[in-house]
Amino acid sequence: MDRTEEQVTCRIQNRLLVVTTVLCGLIFFPCLSMGQTYGIKDPSGNFQPKVIVNMGNNEIIIKKTNPQDKFRSISLTLNPKNSALIRNVGMLNVEWVNVNGKPGKVMPFSGPRYDAGTRKFEDSMGKSVEFRLLDKSNRNLFAGKTISDLFEIRIDDQPVLSSESVLDRDRTVQMGTGRDVSINVDKTSVVFNENNLKKGEILNVDNRSGLNQVLGIEFPERGLLYHQIIRKPEQTKIPRDSWKRFTVGADSGIFIVMIPEPDQAQLVQLNGKEILIKIFQGNNVRETFRVPIKTASDLRLGSGDVPARSEIPASQPVQRTTSIAEPQVTGAGEGREVASNLGRQAASASPATTQKVGSWSDIKTWVLQIVNLVLLAGLAIYGIFFMLPKIQVLQDRLAKNEMFIHSSREAIREEIELIKEEIQAQNVSHKNSE
């Protein structure tokens, strides 16, 4: 029994030591914990591992799984949505490592092997077994990012695939978990309130199946001022006549943009409606996702909780005017006669006063028009006699500036040509060294 207890204790200690070692490695060497195998599929559909990618905050290491492999080309195409990486591409460096683990000369990523138009870096990888991409911008361009967030890797003009994604796609389908969830909708419901009443709400739908899928979207017939379906990442609109049935590519998705009607009555009708997202399998609907629409209660108060102005009885303002007028009429008969005489005088005098006011307003209008014409004529004379010489001077200055800019461009162009020749010479020497 003692020996058995000692053996169990030793096993527990050994396991704790292994776990501690692994945890220390993950803490002090985080890039090793993110190593992932990438490869391509052969014509028969079998996965062939090619490289192992280790990602760090400031360094990405792409290493061959087999040092004897020789790649005719390996390319990295920057993700067009990662604007920070594209802006700082001049701060990225490239370093090649040979079979003996000796790194070569550090070269700029945006050198002659980089095409700024296509955002693509391409070079051969024959004798080198490791490719390092270094971030010298001090902005942690790689931190918290995945490979797809940064760039697309191609080996011999074939896009590489993650071993995990290949195994996940090829395994037995179990609906409801992992990548077998056909689509991913980022919201369980759409709520319109005062904050998003004018700018609307966006619903993200991602295709996680790894295969092209046919979707169909149905909106409520009333209550939406604007609604549109946009593909991502292309940012192209899907025509309205295709909303009932359209194809979404693998690992892609769509945006559903909705802006409600500002009318309170239509907001009440929109509350409780649903957006239907249908997934087709052939000609049949395999799944239907329902996203309910809700409108805030404060946006729906005017439809019935508070009476409209037209519902207020017309007798109320009459009662108020009679209650104010009654004290003025509660006098003797002379007071009533004086009031009636004053009323007749005011009625007889009103047409004359209105005619006088109308004549004075007409005179003022004509005077203002004449003043405006005089001012316009003065401005025209000023522009002709005073502004034309100044405009001529400005044109001369612009012509001189254009000549200066043209000469500067020529000088810069010559300098760039010299730099290109120097870089090409360095590249030739680098190839000879490999």
Side-chain angles (χ1 to χ4, degrees), residues 246-275:
F246 59 92
T247 303
V248 178
D251 295 326
S252 182
I254 57 174
F255 296 112
I256 301 177
V257 183
M258 295 164 289
I259 300 177
E261 289 279 1
D263 184 37
Q264 295 174 342
Q266 297 195 27
L267 286 173
V268 173
Q269 296 180 0
L270 185 63
N271 185 47
K273 299 294 184 181
E274 293 178 335
I275 302 169

Side-chain angles (χ1 to χ4, degrees), residues 358-372:
S359 61
W360 277 109
S361 62
D362 293 339
I363 294 173
K364 290 180 180 179
T365 303
W366 281 104
V367 171
L368 289 175
Q369 290 180 356
I370 294 170
V371 172
N372 288 332

Side-chain angles (χ1 to χ4, degrees), residues 214-337:
V214 179
L215 303 182
I217 311 294
E218 293 185 7
F219 295 93
E221 295 181 357
R222 296 181 180 178
L224 291 177
L225 177 66
Y226 175 82
H227 50 292
Q228 188 60 257
I229 304 175
I230 303 173
R231 293 185 185 275
K232 58 180 181 180
E234 298 90 350
Q235 301 292 326
T236 56
K237 296 180 181 180
I238 298 177
R240 290 179 178 269
D241 54 0
S242 302
W243 286 1
K244 292 186 177 180
R245 192 179 179 91
F246 59 92
T247 303
V248 178
D251 295 326
S252 182
I254 57 174
F255 296 112
I256 301 177
V257 183
M258 295 164 289
I259 300 177
E261 289 279 1
D263 184 37
Q264 295 174 342
Q266 297 195 27
L267 286 173
V268 173
Q269 296 180 0
L270 185 63
N271 185 47
K273 299 294 184 181
E274 293 178 335
I275 302 169
L276 302 182
I277 305 175
K278 298 181 180 180
I279 304 172
F280 289 88
Q281 187 171 9
N283 294 325
N284 299 324
V285 178
R286 188 184 71 190
E287 293 180 80
T288 301
F289 287 78
R290 300 177 180 272
V291 181
I293 300 176
K294 302 177 182 178
T295 56
S297 59
D298 54 349
L299 299 179
R300 297 181 276 113
L301 289 177
S303 61
D305 299 340
V306 178
R309 292 184 177 179
S310 59
E311 297 176 358
I312 299 175
S315 59
Q316 290 184 3
V318 175
Q319 292 176 357
R320 291 178 183 176
T321 54
T322 53
S323 61
I324 296 173
E326 281 176 358
Q328 298 178 359
V329 186
T330 57
E334 295 179 355
R336 294 180 182 178
E337 291 179 359

Side-chain angles (χ1 to χ4, degrees), residues 34 54-61 76 78 82 84-86 88-89 91-94 109 131-147 149-151:
M34 299 182 68
N54 293 319
M55 296 191 62
N57 292 338
N58 300 310
E59 184 181 41
I60 296 177
I61 300 175
L76 278 67
L78 302 185
N82 196 332
L85 184 63
I86 296 173
N88 295 278
V89 69
M91 303 300 294
L92 301 180
N93 291 334
V94 175
F109 180 83
F131 172 84
R132 296 178 181 176
L133 186 62
L134 310 176
D135 175 20
K136 299 299 182 181
S137 65
N138 296 325
R139 297 184 180 181
N140 296 329
L141 299 174
F142 307 151
K145 300 292 192 301
T146 62
I147 289 293
D149 294 333
L150 299 173
F151 43 72

Side-chain angles (χ1 to χ4, degrees), residues 162-200:
S162 170
S163 59
E164 295 181 1
S165 65
V166 171
L167 294 175
D168 203 6
R169 292 179 187 179
D170 293 342
R171 65 186 173 86
T172 305
V173 175
Q174 298 175 357
M175 295 304 299
T177 59
R179 292 181 61 89
D180 292 327
V181 176
S182 54
I183 62 173
N184 182 29
V185 185
D186 66 339
K187 294 183 178 67
T188 57
S189 63
V190 176
V191 180
F192 292 113
N193 49 36
E194 291 183 353
N195 297 327
N196 60 2
L197 181 62
K198 294 183 179 180
K199 64 182 180 180

